[in-house]
Amino acid sequence: MRVSLQALGCRLNEAELETWARQFQQLGHQISPDEQGADLVVVNTCAVTQEAVRKSRKLLRRAQRANPRAKLVVSGCLATLETQALTAEGGIDLLVPNQDKERLGAIAAAELDLPTMPVTALAADANPLFARGRQRAFVKVQDGCRYRCAFCIVTLARGEERSRPIAEVVAEINRSTAEGVREVVLAGVHLGGWGSDLGQGLDELVAGVLTETAIPRLRLGSLEPWELPERLWDLFANPRLMPHLHLPLQSGADSVLRRMARRCRTGEFAQLAAQARERVPGINLTTDLIVGFAGESEDEWRQTLDFVSRIGFGQIHIFPFSPRPGTKAAALPDPVPAAVKRARSQALHQLARRLKDETLDRRLGMETTILVEGRHGGDSAGDWFGYTPDYLPARLTATGTPDLTNHLLRVRLIGRHTDGESLVAMLIAPQAASPVR
């Protein structure tokens, strides 16, 4: 059978797709990037915001319309939190809640009576990531969260913290490396809490991966700005650990952070940012911000703008606040009017644009590497795209070259692209790299 895998939301959802892809391959099925030609469509849903819920439902409807003959399997946070509602809507052949998703392939095979022919499974050197048109692998190392931020529904959907042992993570990365993967992202709901149930810390996991694998590039997924072990900074001396951290701030006003039940205040965050830049020169710090949290006053909003400008993030993910039933924030008084949230969101987008422009401009003239992820737009002749170590998008024109996908290339950053979002790179010399397909 041809299986199409789709996800919304966090990097953890993407990591789970990669696990499922391998499960289906081992059962003898083919991973297809085309949902219309698939016999089975699997959707990993998100429910972190009301907008994520809307998009998840839209994705399900689209999958049903695009290929009504295909069987539809749904998992993820929306499937876990709204099981009865999704089941009542019809059109779903199988719903797998989060607590069972580690066995999704086997459950789907049994419940849907899928043909299984492991003897026809793809060769051991065929990584399912490439079959889905991706290059960067997400490895799930942790799930669940012990904290209860007022706005977050994920703790209800994902449960308590659970960490994968170092040996298990190392084995998965070594297998991916042998199959041609050149970049891995460690992902978790509360990545900084990895090892809380094992008596270990995140620095031990990262050190283990750097020591026991040969993965050329290692990235860390989103990290809450607390509980970061001191030894983590030393590990960035290894050039294989990429100099980028995504540290969700959520608000730049301490009074709002208290209402959010966040464990980090602006003073602590500023110290963390300063420490990161001192210990890891050139590190790119990115963040998440919630606009219009319940009761957010004009003064609190101004505090946020001032603090964000002072920190100088390279990228900001902006989320207008939408209360989720089942969270503490859903019962908070003084909602911010929609028009005010829109105006504040526009102002923050303008600030984020300026800060990103400054970040990109500071990189001009530098020599660095990019991992080529493919052609820009899919078929633009000679125009390739990839990311620098500090996770800035770069475009490279190299006409007359062979397929550069999944190659690490040495480049010089010579300008800003007309798209306004990426840098222009000039090829210096490719690193030793062999095609993976």
Side-chain angles (χ1 to χ4, degrees):
M1 296 182 68
R2 291 166 297 179
V3 181
S4 172
L5 300 163
Q6 303 173 44
L8 283 169
C10 63
R11 290 174 171 180
L12 195 58
N13 272 9
E14 183 67 28
E16 289 162 348
L17 286 199
E18 294 171 22
T19 298
W20 299 342
R22 195 175 293 276
Q23 290 175 1
F24 282 115
Q25 276 192 341
Q26 290 171 347
L27 292 171
H29 304 300
Q30 178 182 353
I31 305 304
S32 171
D34 180 13
E35 67 182 65
Q36 292 186 342
D39 304 298
L40 177 70
V41 177
V42 183
V43 178
N44 205 7
T45 60
C46 180
V48 66
T49 64
Q50 290 290 64
E51 179 66 10
V53 170
R54 185 190 69 79
K55 289 183 177 180
S56 291
R57 291 183 177 278
K58 181 179 180 180
L59 181 58
L60 294 177
R61 291 193 297 269
R62 189 188 73 188
Q64 292 166 345
R65 288 195 306 268
N67 192 352
R69 70 172 185 81
K71 294 183 181 296
L72 179 60
V73 178
V74 182
S75 189
C77 291
L78 180 62
T80 302
L81 295 169
E82 301 186 18
T83 302
Q84 293 182 345
L86 288 178
T87 301
E89 291 174 8
I92 297 174
D93 295 279
L94 177 64
L95 196 149
V96 181
N98 279 343
Q99 59 266 31
D100 297 325
K101 63 172 27 177
E102 298 294 335
R103 301 182 296 109
L104 185 140
I107 292 172
E111 295 293 327
L112 301 178
D113 195 26
L114 303 181
T116 56
M117 294 177 289
V119 293
T120 67
L122 297 181
D125 62 350
N127 191 289
L129 181 73
F130 304 136
R132 297 177 48 236
R134 305 296 180 91
Q135 307 303 320
R136 187 185 309 116
F138 295 89
V139 174
K140 179 179 177 179
V141 302
Q142 185 272 346
D143 205 345
C145 184
R146 64 184 181 273
Y147 299 111
R148 299 292 183 269
C149 296
F151 54 81
C152 186
I153 196 70
V154 175
T155 51
L156 295 178
R158 291 276 184 175
E160 295 300 317
E161 292 185 358
R162 305 172 301 285
S163 305
R164 291 179 69 189
I166 294 177
E168 190 175 308
V169 174
V170 164
E172 179 174 344
I173 294 176
N174 278 332
R175 179 176 57 192
S176 294
T177 305
E179 294 167 345
V181 171
R182 299 187 179 281
E183 181 171 304
V184 159
V185 182
L186 304 183
V189 172
H190 179 211
L191 181 60
W194 180 90
S196 63
D197 52 335
L198 302 176
Q200 296 178 291
L202 180 63
D203 56 319
E204 295 173 79
L205 172 63
V206 175
V209 171
L210 291 173
T211 300
E212 299 176 40
T213 79
I215 189 70
R217 282 183 161 197
L218 178 66
R219 292 192 187 277
L220 300 178
S222 180
L223 279 165
E224 295 293 358
W226 58 79
E227 297 183 335
L228 298 189
E230 176 67 24
R231 183 170 173 253
L232 183 65
W233 305 115
D234 296 331
L235 299 176
F236 281 97
N238 188 320
R240 292 161 54 215
L241 181 58
M242 299 294 97
H244 166 239
L245 286 179
H246 187 78
L247 305 171
L249 172 62
Q250 308 301 4
S251 175
D254 286 343
S255 51
V256 175
L257 292 172
R258 282 192 292 271
R259 295 201 297 277
M260 290 179 169
R262 298 286 287 168
R263 296 176 60 84
C264 183
R265 300 294 182 260
T266 55
E268 297 164 322
F269 194 101
Q271 291 177 0
L272 176 62
Q275 182 182 30
R277 286 167 172 154
E278 178 184 358
R279 300 290 295 275
V280 190
I283 193 170
N284 183 21
L285 301 180
T286 59
T287 197
D288 295 338
L289 283 165
I290 295 174
V291 175
F293 189 74
E296 183 183 66
S297 67
E298 186 64 28
D299 180 63
E300 289 170 331
W301 171 241
R302 287 294 166 191
Q303 291 178 47
T304 292
L305 288 179
D306 291 344
F307 186 74
V308 168
S309 181
R310 178 155 56 95
I311 296 298
F313 296 102
Q315 178 79 29
I316 301 174
H317 297 162
I318 300 168
F319 302 92
F321 174 66
S322 59
R324 294 287 288 115
T327 65
K328 293 179 181 178
L332 291 178
D334 304 321
V336 176
V340 174
K341 280 194 284 189
R342 282 195 299 271
R344 291 177 180 176
S345 180
Q346 290 172 358
L348 186 55
H349 274 287
Q350 291 175 359
L351 174 58
R353 175 72 268 171
R354 176 175 67 81
L355 295 176
K356 183 172 184 178
D357 286 345
E358 293 172 357
T359 299
L360 294 174
D361 287 343
R362 283 195 295 269
R363 271 50 174 189
L364 295 180
M366 293 177 57
E367 290 189 12
T368 186
T369 58
I370 61 171
L371 174 64
V372 179
E373 300 198 4
R375 291 190 183 274
H376 183 76
D379 59 358
S380 178
D383 205 2
W384 304 89
F385 76 94
Y387 286 86
T388 63
D390 51 352
Y391 203 59
L392 295 176
R395 299 269 290 273
L396 170 70
T397 298
T399 56
T401 59
D403 189 350
L404 298 178
T405 302
N406 203 42
H407 282 60
L408 280 166
L409 304 177
R410 190 74 185 171
V411 300
R412 179 177 290 109
L413 304 175
I414 60 173
R416 294 278 302 280
H417 197 273
T418 54
D419 64 7
E421 298 292 328
S422 55
L423 293 158
V424 175
M426 180 180 71
L427 184 64
I428 298 176
Q431 292 184 353
S434 56
V436 296
R437 290 187 283 174

